[in-house]
Amino acid sequence: MLHILLFFINFLHPFYVSVTEIRHNERNKTLEVSSRMFFDDFEAALEKQYHVKIDILKPSDKKVVDKLIDDYIRKHLVLTVEGKKLTLQYTGYEIEEDGAWCYFTVSNVNKLGKLTVVDNILFEAHSSQINMIHVIAAGTRKSTKLDNPKDQAVFTF
C-alpha cells in the first residue's frame, strides 16, 4: 500500500533535478564538464528563454539548437578557479533515455585549488529545482546539492 501511495505522490509531484560533473584531466590540463537534465524540462526552458519552438530529439536545424544550448548553459553554469572566470567551450549534446547530456571543456587548467561553481540551470523553470554537482580532481571526488534558490558551491582540492 505504501508503494502505491509513494507512486501517486511522485506522479502528482514530479521532481526536478540536474546533474553536473566536472572532471579535471591533469594530463591534458583541461576540465571536462557534462550536465544532464530531463530533456523535456530543458526544451521548455530553452523555448521560454529564446521564444522559439525547439525539438531536441529531432531538431530541424541542429546548429540552431547547439547555439541555444551553448548560450543557455554558459549563462547558467559559471566556473571560477582561483578567482578567474573560466570559458566553457561547447562540444555537443546527446540524448540518453529521458535526459539531455550537454558537454563542455575548459582549456589551460593546470590544477584545481579552489573551484567556485554557480549552477542555476532550470532554476527559472522550477522553484523546486535541485542541481547536483560532482567534481573529480587529483583522485578525489567531492559532491554537493544546490536547492533553488541556492546556486553557488565552493570546492577546494
Side-chain angles (χ1 to χ4, degrees):
M1 182 69 168
L2 180 60
H3 295 290
I4 294 171
L5 179 62
L6 289 174
F7 170 79
F8 281 109
I9 288 172
N10 284 334
F11 180 76
L12 296 174
H13 298 282
F15 64 97
Y16 303 101
V17 65
S18 79
V19 178
T20 295
E21 181 177 287
I22 302 162
R23 183 178 299 271
H24 184 229
N25 184 322
E26 293 178 55
R27 188 170 43 92
N28 295 337
K29 297 181 179 7
T30 59
L31 291 182
E32 300 160 352
V33 181
S34 62
S35 288
R36 181 187 190 275
M37 67 274 324
F38 292 109
F39 76 82
D40 56 341
D41 293 335
F42 193 36
E43 277 180 341
L46 292 170
E47 288 176 1
K48 184 175 182 182
Q49 182 158 342
Y50 299 103
H51 310 289
V52 294
K53 183 75 176 145
I54 293 179
D55 184 348
I56 291 178
L57 296 176
K58 297 177 184 173
S60 58
D61 189 340
K62 187 159 181 344
K63 287 182 181 181
V64 170
V65 173
D66 282 332
K67 184 177 184 316
L68 296 178
I69 289 172
D70 180 24
D71 186 66
Y72 180 90
I73 297 293
R74 285 191 203 219
K75 287 179 178 171
H76 296 277
L77 181 65
V78 179
L79 308 180
T80 307
V81 172
E82 305 300 334
K84 179 184 173 202
K85 183 179 173 187
L86 303 178
T87 301
L88 294 172
Q89 299 161 337
Y90 179 69
T91 58
Y93 81 94
E94 66 181 343
I95 302 298
E96 183 179 281
E97 296 177 8
D98 57 354
W101 283 97
C102 305
Y103 301 106
F104 294 83
T105 59
V106 179
S107 302
N108 302 315
V109 181
N110 294 327
K111 74 174 216 166
L112 285 184
K114 178 181 175 185
L115 171 67
T116 303
V117 179
V118 174
D119 180 355
N120 53 34
I121 293 171
L122 300 179
F123 274 17
E124 77 285 358
H126 305 291
S127 61
S128 61
Q129 179 71 31
I130 297 168
N131 292 345
M132 302 292 300
I133 303 171
H134 307 293
V135 181
I136 299 99
T140 303
R141 177 186 169 111
K142 296 185 178 185
S143 300
T144 195
K145 174 175 77 108
L146 299 175
D147 297 305
N148 192 354
K150 182 183 178 203
D151 68 353
Q152 183 171 310
V154 177
F155 299 88
T156 53
F157 291 91

